[in-house]
Amino acid sequence: MKAKYFKSGLLFAAFAMLFTACDSDRDDNPKLGPNHTASTFVVNESSLADQYIQLSSDNTVNLTWSQPDYGINTVVNYQIEVGLNNKWEQLETSFTSCNVQISGEEIAKAICKIDGFATEDDYVDMGFRQIDMRVIANIQTTQSEIIPGTTITSNVVSFKHMAAYCNIPSKATLWVIGSCCGWPEPSPSKKDDLVAGGWFIMETEIGSKIFEGDVEMPAGDLTFRFYAKLTGWDGGDSYGFKVEDEATEITLTNNVYAGNGMTGKGSWFISGFPGGTMHLTVDMNKNTVKFELK
């Protein structure tokens, strides 16, 4: 039978298994029942295991499995592991159901990590390959600590023709848009010009949401704000002094300004800026900014 090709909106049909509803409101650690027989449990083979599956950021993979017999009525925590070439990577999302939709984005990220791709420049499209999956079950306390003796690993199921895409965690970019660079539209078509002009600062660590860097600012009246993504003027990714699209004058005291920021189009305005290197720091966790003329 000729294999079909699936790209987006994947729904991997499989046999649905009953999940036992449980009471998670417990004051102490649950004890395994006297008839505890769980040493393994079964993940069901997907009916699409032989099909060609292209992962994307907006599709999902369905897996179902039987619930381990712990001998007690309790919530079981499940985590998915993705395998390739005898290497395994655990996904971030955990589940308490035996019938789940797994993000294609998470699977692709795991595959890229197993392949050892550290940056987008390293990435090579490896095409369709066999990707294995298994499930790890355990019981946890109300403080999310795994109870010893409850961890069980399922059987392995395979998708024989699955392709990832470049999904490599990297430091995020915060784009500087304003009079300093001629107010270019924050769109993908302007990315190369913004990079060439140095109109950006970078995340200090992956996922930190703290951005820092030096930008050469021209002399004169200076107006600017930031964009987390190049999605256009109305993309909702602007970050500035306030929500409203208007400039607010600020003053450098001893060549330093420290204040607050927020999602919005309000720009910072510095009258008669002398020009020079500005060290910009934006903390999106605390919604604070610091501008320092070096």
Side-chain angles (χ1 to χ4, degrees):
M1 180 178 179
K2 186 178 180 181
K4 296 181 180 178
Y5 184 89
F6 291 80
K7 186 167 184 179
S8 63
L10 294 179
L11 180 61
F12 289 7
F15 298 104
M17 305 297 294
L18 291 176
F19 171 68
T20 304
C22 310
D23 179 11
S24 61
D25 185 15
R26 52 181 185 261
D27 297 325
D28 53 11
N29 293 352
K31 295 180 174 61
L32 297 182
N35 297 321
H36 166 53
T37 59
S39 61
T40 187
F41 61 105
V42 177
V43 177
N44 301 304
E45 294 285 346
S46 170
S47 62
L48 299 181
D50 293 325
Q51 308 298 343
Y52 284 80
I53 303 160
Q54 173 64 61
L55 297 171
S56 76
S57 61
D58 57 6
N59 63 20
T60 59
V61 172
N62 176 245
L63 279 185
T64 64
W65 53 84
S66 60
Q67 182 171 340
D69 180 12
Y70 285 105
I72 55 175
N73 186 31
T74 188
V75 172
V76 180
N77 181 75
Y78 300 102
Q79 288 187 292
I80 313 298
E81 288 191 335
V82 172
L84 175 65
N85 298 328
N86 295 318
K87 297 179 181 178
W88 293 91
E89 183 68 26
Q90 191 170 90
L91 304 186
E92 295 178 3
T93 302
S94 61
F95 304 91
T96 56
S97 169
C98 298
N99 185 349
V100 303
Q101 301 292 335
I102 309 166
S103 164
E105 184 175 13
E106 275 200 66
I107 298 172
K109 184 186 295 185
I111 293 172
C112 287
K113 189 170 183 179
I114 292 173
D115 281 329
F117 300 135
T119 68
E120 292 185 3
D121 292 336
D122 297 332
Y123 180 75
V124 177
D125 186 353
M126 304 298 287
F128 292 93
R129 294 175 289 173
Q130 177 173 310
I131 302 300
D132 300 323
M133 293 188 194
R134 65 188 182 190
V135 181
I136 310 297
N138 56 60
I139 302 175
Q140 299 183 2
T141 68
T142 53
Q143 288 74 41
S144 299
E145 298 173 341
I146 297 175
I147 297 175
T150 67
T151 299
I152 305 170
T153 302
S154 76
N155 59 305
V156 175
V157 296
S158 300
F159 295 91
K160 296 181 181 178
H161 309 287
M162 181 177 283
Y165 64 97
C166 184
N167 188 12
I168 302 169
S170 61
K171 293 181 180 180
T173 302
L174 198 59
W175 305 95
V176 181
I177 302 293
S179 63
C180 52
C181 51
W183 284 109
E185 181 183 7
S187 64
S189 64
K190 300 296 183 180
K191 180 178 179 179
D192 289 345
D193 292 339
L194 291 170
V195 171
W199 303 114
F200 64 92
I201 56 178
M202 298 295 296
E203 204 172 20
T204 56
E205 298 291 341
I206 295 175
S208 70
K209 295 185 178 180
I210 300 174
F211 300 81
E212 194 170 352
D214 292 338
V215 176
E216 292 296 324
M217 296 291 194
D221 291 345
L222 180 64
T223 307
F224 65 96
R225 60 179 180 254
F226 302 99
Y227 278 81
K229 295 180 182 179
L230 299 176
T231 53
W233 295 119
D234 298 317
D237 293 303
S238 56
Y239 190 88
F241 183 87
K242 58 184 177 182
V243 174
E244 294 78 17
D245 187 3
E246 56 188 35
T248 300
E249 185 168 0
I250 62 172
T251 301
L252 299 180
T253 302
N254 296 324
N255 290 333
V256 176
Y257 168 80
N260 297 323
M262 65 177 65
T263 299
K265 292 187 176 182
S267 301
W268 290 274
F269 170 67
I270 304 175
S271 177
F273 183 73
T277 302
M278 182 87 83
H279 187 76
L280 306 175
T281 303
V282 178
D283 186 336
M284 288 188 170
N285 301 299
K286 299 179 180 179
N287 282 323
T288 60
V289 301
K290 183 178 181 181
F291 310 145
E292 183 177 4
L293 178 60
K294 301 176 76 171

